[in-house]
């Protein structure tokens, strides 16, 4: 039955994806970092932006991250991001009782997704956080097509279930990973899993 359905389809999957309209990208920086760490790779953010946009008309690409404003290296990375196609939404880190630092930006992501409805046709959410499922469902009912991009082992089923399309980061790893010495900054966590990333210089070779 599946083969018959595919044979009788009016549009191929490629043609459907080409009709994405205006695209808005929402990236959970911390979630993406830990996914990349699980894959043993570093993200090339220029390649990532090109891969996610995939030739569609880009409205804006948002990058959400916790920050330590005294960390000059992190500020350098965020400045690079702002000058290379990303709108950075930063939130000060809060120190938790266990000594780790964290900044939760789920609310900011959800609010921006809702506030911009009507300005974009397809939302690309780079996160596996199930807390965002309600926001995804809400914008879907407003006529937005939602694609979720994340590592399967770190992605909530509730988020996948409300998305129109799911892309496993592992399947596009080769397209978005950084080449050696391509970029002067690297991402690493402040302390423990769950903390927000900071940026440090790589030693030059």
């Amino acid at each position: 039955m599946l083969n018959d359905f595919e044979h009788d389809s009016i549009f191929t999957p490629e043609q459907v994806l080409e009709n994405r309209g205006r695209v808005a990208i929402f990236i959970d920086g911390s979630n993406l970092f830990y996914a990349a760490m699980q894959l043993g790779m570093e993200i090339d953010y220029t390649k990532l932006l090109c891969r996610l946009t995939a030739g569609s008309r880009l409205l804006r690409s948002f990058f959400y991250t916790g920050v330590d404003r005294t960390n000059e290296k992190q500020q350098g990375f965020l400045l690079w991001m702002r000058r290379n196609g990303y709108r950075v939404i930063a939130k000060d880190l809060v120190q938790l009782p266990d000594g780790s630092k964290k900044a939760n930006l789920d609310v900011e992501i959800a609010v921006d997704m809702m506030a911009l409805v009507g300005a974009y046709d397809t939302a690309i959410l780079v996160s596996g956080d199930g807390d965002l499922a309600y926001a995804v469902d809400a914008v879907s009912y407003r006529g937005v097509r939602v694609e979720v991009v994340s590592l399967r082992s770190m992605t909530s089923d509730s988020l996948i279930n409300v998305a129109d399309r799911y892309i496993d980061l592992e399947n596009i790893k080769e397209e978005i990973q950084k080449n050696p010495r391509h970029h002067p900054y690297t991402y690493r966590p402040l302390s423990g899993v769950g903390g927000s990333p900071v940026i440090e210089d790589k030693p030059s070779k």
Side-chain angles (χ1 to χ4, degrees):
M1 289 295 293
L2 182 59
N3 290 336
D4 290 341
F5 173 77
E6 289 178 343
H7 179 73
D8 294 336
S9 293
I10 298 174
F11 300 107
T12 66
E14 290 75 18
Q15 288 172 322
V16 172
L17 291 177
E18 286 174 2
N19 191 27
R20 299 160 91 204
R22 295 163 298 177
V23 169
I25 300 171
F26 304 88
I27 300 174
D28 180 338
S30 181
N31 194 279
L32 177 59
F33 163 74
Y34 286 110
M37 187 170 66
Q38 289 294 317
L39 289 170
M41 63 176 287
E42 289 188 50
I43 301 290
D44 182 316
Y45 289 94
T46 300
K47 290 181 180 179
L48 178 67
L49 187 59
C50 292
R51 176 60 178 81
L52 295 179
T53 305
S56 298
R57 179 184 172 192
L58 178 63
L59 172 68
R60 188 156 291 156
S61 180
F62 297 94
F63 184 82
Y64 301 82
T65 185
V67 295
D68 176 358
R69 299 188 187 280
T70 65
N71 188 316
E72 293 182 3
K73 294 171 183 177
Q74 184 185 42
Q75 295 302 313
F77 169 80
L78 297 180
L79 178 61
W80 183 92
M81 292 287 280
R82 291 185 178 99
R83 292 178 175 177
N84 287 273
Y86 291 90
R87 175 67 60 88
V88 175
I89 292 84
K91 188 174 184 179
D92 289 339
L93 294 165
V94 176
Q95 185 156 344
L96 303 178
D98 64 1
S100 64
K101 295 181 180 181
K102 188 174 183 179
N104 192 320
L105 286 104
D106 290 348
V107 172
E108 286 79 359
I109 295 173
V111 168
D112 288 346
M113 289 181 72
M114 288 298 300
L116 288 170
V117 168
Y120 66 94
D121 303 296
T122 299
I124 302 173
L125 174 63
V126 183
S127 178
D129 193 339
D131 290 341
L132 293 168
Y134 190 83
V136 168
D137 203 31
V139 298
S140 295
Y141 277 101
R142 298 283 297 276
V144 172
R145 184 176 185 277
V146 182
E147 299 177 10
V148 169
V149 182
S150 56
L151 184 61
R152 183 62 187 92
S153 62
M154 294 177 56
T155 307
S156 168
D157 287 341
S158 62
L159 189 58
I160 294 176
N161 291 341
V162 294
D164 295 290
R165 186 187 184 212
Y166 171 72
I167 300 172
D168 190 337
L169 274 172
E170 188 166 12
N171 294 336
I172 61 172
K173 175 181 176 180
E174 301 299 324
E175 301 175 63
I176 63 171
Q177 66 183 350
K178 183 163 60 175
N179 296 326
R181 293 180 291 181
H182 177 73
H183 193 281
Y185 299 104
T186 186
Y187 228 13
R188 69 171 178 81
L190 273 172
S191 56
V193 174
S196 293
V198 296
I199 314 304
E200 63 176 10
D201 283 328
K202 271 190 167 181
S204 58
K205 294 183 179 179

